[in-house]
Amino acid sequence: MGCKTLKKVLTLPDSRLRQQSKPVKVFDGALKEIVEAMQLSMEQGPGGVGIAAPQLGEMLRIVTVDCSLGQYSCKNHGRLLMVNPEITYQSGKALGREGCLSVPEWVATVSRSKKVTVSYQDLLGEYHELSATGFEARVIQHELDHLDGVLFIDRVLSVHDLVRRMP
Ligand code: ZN
């Protein structure tokens, strides 16, 4: 393990949050290190349930999600690591409150698909597919958006849905 230092999560207006991330092509030790840094940020950082590699300045298509953290009563798959994830099916619509480590001052009500099916690769490059619903589906959609430079504030339907966090 060694002594790992917590990487800083990028916040707006850092332009890297607006860039398209690149697909992972090499499944090596460098990839593993990026994933470890992401998981450390989720566990010891400001308490997120998901993080995307570009939030740490790594412009690659990797996300980690863990909806078993905190007090979420929804059904979930525990810790997920998704390399090159793609939504292959989505259905339904639901409104829910979202925030983001990269947009620390705001929360908003955002419309997302209720159910998603995602295909992705693991650390070894093996392909997997899973279906998620409810809050976990929301977190997955939020994190995948980061890979295309999209933030939850872009999906807010009305300014009235945007709420400034209390300091
Ligand atoms: Zn986010």
Side-chain angles (χ1 to χ4, degrees):
M1 290 290 282
C3 58
K4 302 260 183 231
T5 48
L6 211 51
K7 277 196 150 193
K8 194 173 165 286
V9 175
L10 304 183
T11 54
L12 276 184
D14 196 301
S15 62
R16 284 170 286 181
L17 292 169
R18 292 310 201 171
Q19 288 170 23
Q20 190 90 14
S21 290
K22 293 191 171 66
V24 172
K25 291 188 177 142
V26 184
F27 294 81
D28 60 1
L31 173 64
K32 214 173 154 227
E33 269 182 34
I34 293 168
V35 167
E36 279 172 9
M38 290 169 69
Q39 290 182 339
L40 201 65
S41 283
M42 267 204 325
E43 287 162 11
Q44 294 172 30
V49 288
I51 198 159
Q55 289 181 278
L56 298 181
E58 302 285 355
M59 307 312 291
L60 290 166
R61 303 188 78 82
I62 314 164
V63 305
T64 55
V65 168
D66 193 343
C67 290
S68 70
L69 300 172
Q71 61 278 47
Y72 300 101
S73 55
C74 69
K75 214 166 64 174
N76 67 75
H77 291 85
R79 174 166 300 179
L80 294 172
L81 162 68
M82 296 174 163
V83 179
N84 300 329
E86 274 190 53
I87 293 175
T88 55
Y89 173 82
Q90 50 196 319
S91 66
K93 282 279 166 223
L95 289 173
R97 195 49 86 81
E98 290 185 25
C100 180
L101 300 177
S102 296
V103 192
E105 284 176 32
W106 300 92
V107 289
T109 303
V110 181
S111 175
R112 299 281 188 187
S113 298
K114 245 182 211 170
K115 183 179 175 186
V116 292
T117 302
V118 192
S119 78
Y120 60 95
Q121 286 167 280
D122 61 22
L123 271 178
L124 302 172
E126 302 285 336
Y127 284 89
H128 303 271
E129 191 172 71
L130 70 81
S131 292
T133 55
F135 184 69
E136 188 177 46
R138 173 172 299 277
V139 175
I140 289 172
Q141 290 169 82
H142 176 116
E143 299 310 330
L144 263 63
D145 267 355
H146 276 297
L147 306 180
D148 295 318
V150 175
L151 300 171
F152 77 100
I153 47 174
D154 304 331
R155 297 197 180 272
V156 170
L157 300 174
S158 148
V159 286
H160 303 292
D161 294 331
L162 201 57
V163 179
R164 192 177 265 277
R165 267 192 225 266
M166 290 295 142

